[in-house]
Amino acid sequence: YDWLPSVFNEIHKGRRLVQQEKWEESIVDFLFQYSESYHRLHVVSLFNRLQQKFKKENIVLLDYHDKQTKGPEENLFCNMPNAAHMCNATRFIDTSTSNPSANLDYSDLAYGAKKEGLISIPDDRKMAQVAESIERYHKSNLNARKFERVCPSSSIL
């Protein structure tokens, strides 16, 4: 489940000011929505459904945390039939920075201030400016002390 925060970040990092639902959704909301579809999407149930439609020997489960390969790309292409060239190519390509995460803290703070009527933010350009100003202030005046996170209770998770 360590990939769930990454999925949340991927969905929310490109949000626009007009997409209010993306600003209002917390990671807890996201996890709750995910848990509703979890059983349908979980690897075991997916494997069982695929097994009913395809030959069992054509289904391969890959461990994306496999430390014997360079990463998920190598793991995928080097286990795929007729993909020797792609397999070799993935061994020489650096994909470590292909999809960086974005820190949503500063834009979340700016949106919260806007929502409470403390600041006027009419568009995405202004949102980016305000978030950058908050980040600069945080780093220069507050020594960039990390924001404390409140972990949801186990009953929520």
Side-chain angles (χ1 to χ4, degrees):
Y1 302 106
D2 57 342
W3 53 271
L4 285 171
S6 177
V7 172
F8 178 83
N9 187 280
E10 183 66 29
I11 291 168
H12 291 80
K13 72 180 178 182
R15 62 192 171 187
R16 313 289 291 180
L17 199 51
V18 295
Q19 298 170 305
Q20 185 174 353
E21 71 283 355
K22 286 191 177 180
W23 290 92
E24 298 290 332
E25 181 180 49
S26 71
I27 194 163
V28 174
D29 297 331
F30 172 78
L31 290 173
F32 181 75
Q33 289 173 0
Y34 172 78
S35 70
E36 291 178 340
S37 60
Y38 171 78
H39 296 292
R40 189 175 54 79
L41 298 173
H42 192 265
V43 173
V44 174
S45 58
L46 175 61
F47 179 80
N48 291 334
R49 285 196 322 275
L50 292 173
Q51 193 175 12
Q52 292 171 359
K53 293 188 177 210
F54 304 101
K55 294 178 183 175
K56 184 176 182 177
E57 59 271 7
N58 290 338
I59 302 170
V60 177
L61 296 178
L62 301 175
D63 178 3
Y64 285 105
H65 299 285
D66 184 356
K67 301 297 183 198
Q68 295 178 359
T69 61
K70 183 179 163 197
E73 298 86 3
E74 182 181 338
N75 195 344
L76 173 66
F77 291 113
C78 295
N79 284 291
M80 188 181 287
N82 302 318
H85 292 295
M86 196 63 182
C87 172
N88 288 331
T90 60
R91 290 182 173 146
F92 299 106
I93 296 173
D94 181 17
T95 59
S96 60
T97 60
S98 63
N99 189 16
S101 65
N103 184 335
L104 303 175
D105 293 339
Y106 303 107
S107 57
D108 284 346
L109 287 169
Y111 181 78
K114 174 191 174 357
K115 186 176 172 182
E116 293 298 317
L118 299 173
I119 190 169
S120 172
I121 302 176
D123 55 38
D124 292 317
R125 185 183 60 76
K126 184 70 172 174
M127 175 61 80
Q129 290 174 344
V130 171
E132 287 171 16
S133 294
I134 293 170
E135 182 176 10
R136 274 194 310 276
Y137 182 86
H138 180 238
K139 288 181 177 179
S140 64
N141 297 329
L142 303 174
N143 298 323
R145 198 176 94 213
K146 289 197 177 240
F147 293 109
E148 289 186 32
R149 306 287 183 206
V150 177
C151 193
S153 68
S154 58
S155 64
I156 291 174
L157 298 174

